[in-house]
């Protein structure tokens, strides 16, 4: 089994699900079933449910009684039928081909009775953890109530591992052992391998709106990369650091010096650093706006740079041609609007057509890959957005740090 720690680089190895005997035991399995729902409450993408199936099926095969817990949406600490896990229970029952009863509340007498009556090989899904205010407050009392439902804790919610919540962190004070599930192990192992021991050349693609949200990641991984591509709104801050006028484009003036420092450091380390050479610009931030393509140094006053241009997509494609490892987080533009989606979708095609090991990190990038129909040609798509970024940045993830050390 792969070894995981609470950060990419340091920390004590953690126990995994195969390191403990679960036969006949009640296990508390924390997963991330925060799936998207449409206006009728139907699941539009069940990828996160399917990602947890290896752990669930292993536990069932071993004869465990599996109490599954997750959150969905933002119900703000009180019951809200719009954020019920009922659709998830229905989908999970179909995927497992067995009954999946839904406990009416995350804790309480009825829920405890349902857990105690479980037989080996059965599952029970708790109602939305965030229906209780103690979940997001990392409350010990709520955590203790959750812990009373089972004997062993299994953390498999990588997408929520950066959250210091009761079911992710405080609960492990009252459950021993607390071990990692297969998805948690897989997520951390993929990213750790790509950063610490990659096949080279290794290329990082970093996009998204704000430089302030991503520049710490760029700084952290810079010494380990061969090439870095910057796209999205955050590229404007780097171009301002080069002295370009960016019109009404998003530029974080307080990050300009940091951006300049990062580019200087890349030069010192001989890491090739790529910015867009042209932009698709618009006279207003709307789908109906007038658009045109201009060189990066020629964005007019009052105009917005909202996507990378065709020369940039060609350049970035050439940069990726010899890559052996690609890590990508963040779109190249406002891809939700058709007029500004070409750069992101072109990048999806470049990455999908690469012969490299390709790792895409959650959130908007995940949405773009699925929308382009290229998910099967990506080596690994992370289920976590924030957790993916914080792990890249070298931060300790609470949902990993609290698991039992192998030592």
């Amino acid at each position: 089994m792969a070894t995981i720690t609470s950060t990419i680089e340091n920390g004590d190895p953690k126990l995994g699900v195969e390191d403990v005997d679960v036969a006949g035991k009640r296990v508390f399995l924390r997963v991330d079933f925060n799936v998207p729902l449409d206006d009728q409450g139907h699941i539009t993408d069940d990828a996160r449910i399917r990602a947890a199936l290896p752990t669930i099926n292993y536990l069932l095969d071993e004869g465990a009684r599996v109490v599954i817990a997750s959150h969905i949406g933002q119900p703000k600490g009180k019951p809200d039928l719009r954020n019920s896990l009922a659709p998830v229970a229905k989908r999970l029952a179909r995927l497992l081909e067995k009954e999946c009863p839904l406990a009416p509340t995350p804790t309480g007498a009825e829920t405890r009775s349902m857990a105690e009556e479980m037989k080996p090989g059965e599952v029970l899904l708790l109602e939305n953890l965030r229906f209780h205010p103690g979940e997001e407050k990392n409350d010990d009392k709520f955590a203790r109530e959750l812990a009373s439902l089972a004997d062993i804790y299994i953390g498999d919610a990588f997408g929520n591992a950066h959250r210091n919540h009761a079911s992710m962190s405080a609960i492990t004070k009252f459950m021993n052992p607390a071990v990692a599930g297969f998805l948690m192990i897989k997520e951390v192992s993929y990213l750790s391998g790509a950063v610490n021991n990659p096949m080279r050349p290794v290329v990082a693609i970093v996009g998204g709106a704000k430089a302030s949200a991503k520049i710490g990641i760029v700084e952290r991984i810079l010494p380990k990369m061969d090439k870095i591509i910057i796209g999205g709104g955050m590229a404007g801050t780097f171009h301002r650091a080069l002295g370009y006028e960016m019109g009404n484009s998003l530029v974080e003036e307080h990050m300009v010096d940091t951006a300049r420092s990062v580019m200087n450091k890349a030069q010192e380390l001989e890491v090739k650093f790529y910015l867009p050479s042209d932009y698709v610009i618009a006279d207003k931030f709307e789908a109906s706006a007038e658009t045109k393509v201009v060189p990066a140094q020629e964005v007019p006053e009052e105009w917005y740079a909202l996507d990378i241009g065709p020369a940039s997509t060609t350049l970035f494609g050439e940069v990726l041609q010899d890559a052996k490892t690609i890590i990508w987080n963040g779109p190249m533009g406002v891809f939700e609007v058709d007029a500004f989606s070409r750069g992101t979708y072109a990048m999806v095609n470049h990455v999908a057509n690469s012969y490299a090991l390709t790792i895409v990190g959650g959130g908007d990038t995940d949405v773009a890959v699925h929308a382009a129909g290229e998910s099967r040609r990506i080596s690994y798509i992370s289920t976590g957005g924030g957790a993916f970024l914080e792990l890249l940045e070298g931060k300790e993830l609470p949902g990993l740090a609290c698991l039992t050390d192998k030592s």
Side-chain angles (χ1 to χ4, degrees):
M1 172 182 286
T3 296
I4 65 165
T5 64
S6 55
T7 66
I8 281 184
E9 295 176 338
N10 303 304
D12 295 320
K14 303 296 181 180
L15 286 176
V17 64
E18 291 180 307
D19 295 322
V20 293
D21 179 13
V22 299
K25 305 281 181 62
R26 276 202 310 271
V27 299
F28 187 99
L29 176 62
R30 178 50 160 108
V31 295
D32 181 10
F33 286 169
N34 187 24
V35 294
L37 304 174
D38 64 18
D39 293 338
Q40 285 74 46
H42 300 135
I43 296 170
T44 59
D45 184 354
D46 65 1
R48 289 187 171 185
I49 301 175
R50 292 177 182 273
L53 293 180
T55 300
I56 297 171
N57 282 321
Y58 171 82
L59 294 170
L60 295 175
D61 289 345
E62 293 295 310
R65 294 173 285 177
V66 189
V67 179
I68 303 173
S70 179
H71 73 281
I72 189 168
Q74 297 285 350
K76 299 181 180 178
K78 56 186 179 182
D80 182 344
L81 288 178
R82 294 171 299 178
N83 291 296
S84 172
L85 280 166
V88 172
K90 185 176 180 180
R91 181 64 58 88
L92 186 59
R94 187 192 311 165
L95 293 171
L96 293 174
E97 298 183 349
K98 69 189 312 158
E99 289 186 11
C100 180
L102 177 67
T105 55
T107 58
E110 186 177 352
T111 296
R112 183 175 293 105
S113 176
M114 293 176 73
E116 290 172 351
E117 291 171 5
M118 293 174 71
K119 295 179 174 61
E122 292 184 344
V123 298
L124 172 67
L125 179 63
L126 304 184
E127 185 53 286
N128 194 338
L129 292 164
R130 291 186 181 177
F131 281 2
H132 194 292
E135 167 65 1
E136 293 185 86
K137 293 178 181 177
N138 200 28
D139 179 68
D140 277 0
K141 183 175 183 293
F142 179 57
R144 190 189 295 271
E145 292 172 356
L146 292 173
S148 70
L149 300 175
D151 310 302
I152 297 169
Y153 178 85
I154 299 174
D156 214 25
F158 176 76
N160 206 50
H162 59 310
R163 304 293 188 193
N164 211 21
H165 291 171
S167 65
M168 298 294 304
S169 183
I171 191 173
T172 62
K173 299 176 186 177
F174 312 109
M175 301 189 77
N176 187 33
V179 306
F182 291 126
L183 177 61
M184 186 78 81
I185 294 167
K186 187 177 182 181
E187 292 268 14
V188 179
S189 297
Y190 254 99
L191 197 52
S192 296
V195 173
N196 293 332
N197 189 30
M199 295 179 287
R200 293 188 179 276
V202 56
V203 184
I205 307 168
V206 185
K210 292 186 176 181
S212 55
K214 304 282 182 77
I215 205 160
I217 296 158
V218 176
E219 285 184 294
R220 179 76 178 183
I221 65 175
L222 193 58
K224 298 185 176 185
M225 297 295 114
D226 296 304
K227 306 176 185 179
I228 290 183
I229 294 171
I230 302 293
M234 64 181 289
T237 300
F238 283 89
H239 272 140
R240 176 60 58 82
L242 295 176
Y244 294 7
E245 294 297 329
M246 294 301 297
N248 276 345
S249 308
L250 176 62
V251 173
E252 294 179 275
E253 297 292 350
H254 67 289
M255 298 301 300
V256 168
D257 288 343
T258 306
R260 186 179 297 112
S261 174
V262 166
M263 289 188 287
N264 289 338
K265 185 176 179 182
Q267 189 170 14
E268 291 170 11
L269 295 172
E270 298 183 348
V271 176
K272 294 176 181 177
F273 201 91
Y274 298 90
L275 293 170
S277 57
D278 62 344
Y279 284 110
V280 177
I281 62 171
D283 62 347
K284 52 188 175 183
F285 205 142
E286 296 177 10
S288 60
E290 179 188 349
T291 64
K292 58 185 177 181
V293 176
V294 299
Q297 60 268 44
E298 295 181 16
V299 178
E301 289 185 20
E302 308 299 324
W303 285 65
Y304 301 82
L306 298 179
D307 191 16
I308 60 173
S312 301
T313 61
T314 300
L315 168 66
F316 293 167
E318 292 172 352
V319 171
L320 295 178
Q321 281 186 354
D322 67 342
K324 294 294 190 295
T325 303
I326 299 170
I327 304 170
W328 181 18
N329 180 274
M332 298 292 100
V334 187
F335 78 99
E336 301 90 342
V337 179
D338 181 67
F340 316 121
S341 65
R342 308 301 194 273
T344 297
Y345 288 131
M347 187 62 78
V348 170
N349 290 328
H350 288 320
V351 173
N353 287 322
S354 168
Y355 291 103
L357 172 73
T358 52
I359 301 174
V360 171
D364 290 338
T365 323
D366 183 359
V367 172
V369 168
H370 280 96
E374 296 285 17
S375 57
R376 291 187 179 182
R377 294 207 293 157
I378 303 298
S379 305
Y380 193 72
I381 299 176
S382 175
T383 60
F388 180 95
L389 294 176
E390 292 198 10
L391 199 62
L392 264 185
E393 199 170 348
K395 293 181 178 178
E396 184 174 76
L397 301 183
L400 276 171
C402 66
L403 300 181
T404 307
D405 295 337
K406 283 194 173 185
S407 58

